[in-house]
Amino acid sequence: MSTVVLGGGLAGLTAAYALERDGHGVTVLEAQEAPGGACRSFAEDGFTFDLTGHLLHVAREETRQLLEELGLWEELEIHERRAAVVIGGRATPYPVQINTWGLSDEVRRDCLLGFVRAWCQHGEEAAPADFRRWVLGRFGEGLARHFFFPYNEKLYRVRPEELSLDWVGRYVPKPALEEVIDGALGLHRNRVGYNALFRYPRRGGIALLPDAIAGRLRCLEPGNRAGVVDTDARVVETENGRRFSWERLIATIPLPALVDRLRPKPPAEVLEARRALRWVSVLNVALGLEGLAPTDQHWLYFPDPQLPFYRVGFPSNHGDLAPPDCHTVSIEVSMDPGAGDPQAMAEAAERALEAAGYLDRSRILVRRTAILDPAYVVFDHARSGALAIIRRELAGRGVLLAGRWAQWVYSAMEDAMLDGLAAARQIIGAEGA
Ligand SMILES: Cc1cc2nc3c(=O)[nH]c(=O)nc-3n(C[C@H](O)[C@H](O)[C@H](O)COP(=O)(O)OP(=O)(O)OC[C@H]3O[C@@H](n4cnc5c(N)ncnc54)[C@H](O)[C@@H]3O)c2cc1C
């Protein structure tokens, strides 16, 4: 049985690796000249840049086993997160809801009072209708106004009431009243949240992961962008005119692009659902600079609506990514797909970061801008219904989906690898049955 995998990012590579390991025929079609997708790294003048910060969180034993099998586990150094939220020019540790001690008295008072009021007066609604109601009920008015609303509006480019709650479970730490009060007084320093610890390659960038998998594959076809995906004929035609037949198909390319490529053309209901999918792109401005980094933090969150970026990383604080006495900075700006002038936006972001005190532009040695598109799925109220329609259509055509953008979710590198393994298992299991 032959399988074609669309996309050679972590999900596609892992699926192909598991299939080949089991003796199955498989071909990975990757649009770019190098595999890795969002986990590629770029070397320039002694600096290494990832496509924004890519830090590995390993929660599952299966992931650890895979990384060991690939000879990667010992190459990944463990780090304790150093991240902060900057509000009103003052930085306090992330997550802000249990660390307001570093903020101004006025902001801290707002946050504490709002939290206590929400806790005492309303409690949490059993089933809040949207992200706005959920934040107000759980964190209160102060934290909503100073952090949750402006940060998420800047990242997702929609109002908080336009967001559903389908994504918050794992990514937003939920504190108890005691933790919030202790956090206002600076009484604890607990590790909180899914990303309190992370792993990162001792040498080089995050591309170590996809490169290690790709290096073991016999079947990688880089520079081959899937154009038409004909599920009746079971053939993929690439944009450069090649044809690949399959008995099984795993798609890891972004869901809207996959639907656009389907033949026969999907019914109107599916096309309408595809049009309902919303996402944002991210402009990444990666800088290599001489001198020491302006902070020892790994990354900073910036909810302030006046600042163009939502997050800024200092990757050389956790990786061997810069020459001696140099450092790297990674600025992330959320944007509507295809909109705006990236160069002007990059320039504005640099200037704003310099004004905020975290960048000295006169010391920039290397500058690299990139756009991740799609970057974040927007979990608006239309998403889950539209997704169900599209997934039903694809399941009916026998297409397996794996990875962050094919599944149209908010997920991480570990999930992409586990998705790849799961898709391979489905094929191996079906053939064994
Ligand atoms: C800003 C940002 C920061 C992130 N930070 C982290 C982090 O710190 N830690 C973490 O664990 N995760 C992080 N992630 C998530 C992580 O990047 C993804 O979960 C993971 O890389 C998804 O891998 P994938 O294989 O599903 O998708 P991709 O990496 O996108 O792979 C899909 C591949 O398909 C290819 N492709 C597209 N169209 C076609 C076509 N028509 N034909 C052939 N090939 C095609 C692409 O070139 C790409 O290589 C971050 C994501 C973003 C956007």
Side-chain angles (χ1 to χ4, degrees):
M1 275 256 193
S2 69
T3 298
V4 165
V5 178
L6 302 180
L10 272 186
L13 293 172
T14 309
Y17 170 72
L19 285 167
E20 268 197 1
R21 187 179 55 185
D22 208 66
H24 290 247
V26 56
T27 305
V28 180
L29 301 181
E30 167 54 48
Q32 303 296 325
E33 290 304 327
C39 300
R40 277 168 299 152
S41 306
F42 302 86
E44 203 170 327
D45 289 348
F47 293 94
T48 304
F49 303 110
D50 296 338
L51 291 166
T52 85
H54 266 83
L55 317 172
L56 181 65
H57 314 288
V58 179
R60 295 266 301 273
E61 174 60 17
E62 197 179 359
T63 318
R64 191 187 65 74
Q65 280 173 11
L66 174 70
L67 295 169
E68 276 194 351
E69 192 177 309
L70 292 163
L72 289 172
W73 188 246
E74 296 301 323
E75 298 303 314
L76 298 167
E77 195 171 9
I78 196 155
H79 298 269
E80 197 161 335
R81 175 190 65 212
R82 296 195 299 273
V85 178
V86 182
I87 296 176
R90 298 175 69 146
T92 200
Y94 169 87
V96 64
Q97 51 269 40
I98 57 153
N99 282 303
T100 53
W101 60 267
L103 302 175
S104 70
D105 289 350
E106 193 187 339
V107 174
R108 194 165 67 240
R109 180 179 182 279
D110 281 353
C111 295
L112 201 53
L113 195 60
F115 190 90
V116 171
R117 275 195 181 134
W119 187 276
C120 299
Q121 293 174 4
H122 316 296
E124 200 175 321
E125 286 181 65
D130 56 47
F131 184 65
R132 180 176 178 281
R133 301 270 295 259
W134 181 78
V135 167
L136 287 173
R138 176 162 289 210
F139 299 107
E141 218 270 327
L143 280 160
R145 183 155 48 84
H146 291 295
F147 179 70
F148 285 101
F149 289 173
Y151 182 79
N152 287 289
E153 280 193 65
K154 192 166 10 174
L155 176 56
Y156 293 112
R157 304 181 67 74
V158 294
R159 293 188 309 281
E161 56 271 29
E162 291 181 74
L163 293 174
S164 74
L165 295 178
D166 296 348
W167 58 284
V168 293
R170 169 173 158 197
Y171 293 101
V172 185
K174 298 154 197 141
L177 179 61
E178 294 75 10
E179 288 180 285
V180 173
I181 289 175
D182 285 356
L185 299 171
L187 293 181
H188 68 79
R189 300 285 189 276
N190 288 346
R191 287 179 191 161
V192 175
Y194 76 98
N195 59 1
L197 295 177
F198 64 87
R199 290 166 204 274
Y200 193 81
R202 289 179 199 284
R203 280 168 295 278
I206 200 64
L208 181 77
L209 263 58
D211 287 354
I213 309 174
R216 292 176 178 232
L217 298 180
R218 290 189 296 274
C219 60
L220 186 58
E221 294 277 2
N224 281 282
R225 181 181 292 276
V228 170
V229 180
D230 187 328
T231 53
D232 277 358
R234 298 193 169 204
V235 165
V236 180
E237 287 175 25
T238 61
E239 289 183 355
N240 55 8
R242 296 177 70 190
R243 287 168 64 86
F244 294 85
S245 303
W246 84 80
E247 285 154 289
R248 300 284 184 164
L249 183 72
I250 300 175
T252 74
I253 67 177
L255 198 58
L258 175 62
V259 174
D260 292 346
R261 284 163 168 72
L262 286 177
R263 299 291 179 279
K265 210 171 150 193
E269 182 198 30
V270 176
L271 298 177
E272 198 180 317
R274 179 257 179 262
R275 283 193 293 276
L277 301 179
R278 288 169 79 184
W279 69 92
V280 294
S281 307
V282 163
L283 170 68
N284 180 218
V285 185
L287 304 170
L289 298 100
E290 59 184 348
L292 296 177
T295 168
D296 70 346
Q297 298 294 291
H298 297 131
W299 70 91
L300 303 173
Y301 297 97
F302 289 90
D304 183 347
Q306 303 304 321
L307 297 173
F309 37 80
Y310 62 90
R311 190 168 58 181
V312 175
F314 300 89
S316 51
N317 284 346
H318 61 68
D320 181 18
L321 301 169
D325 299 322
C326 292
H327 68 281
T328 58
V329 174
S330 174
I331 310 174
E332 294 173 58
V333 180
S334 177
M335 56 194 280
D336 293 329
D341 171 357
Q343 286 317 318
M345 290 167 78
E347 168 91 16
E350 279 184 27
R351 286 188 188 286
L353 190 61
E354 188 166 51
Y358 291 100
L359 178 66
D360 178 352
R361 296 185 78 207
S362 70
R363 310 198 86 180
I364 295 175
L365 301 173
V366 180
R367 177 185 279 109
R368 190 177 190 284
T369 57
I371 293 177
L372 285 100
D373 179 41
Y376 289 92
V377 167
V378 175
F379 280 72
D380 63 6
H381 299 290
R383 175 190 161 275
S384 69
L387 194 54
I389 292 169
I390 297 171
R391 284 187 179 165
R392 198 165 49 236
E393 173 74 13
L394 289 165
R397 294 176 185 238
V399 181
L400 293 174
L401 301 175
R404 171 170 165 133
W405 292 286
Q407 304 251 28
W408 209 245
V409 290
Y410 184 172
S411 65
M413 292 185 285
E414 175 174 40
D415 304 295
M417 291 187 278
L418 292 174
D419 274 3
L421 292 180
R425 252 198 317 269
Q426 252 182 280
I427 290 175
I428 295 165
E431 284 172 19

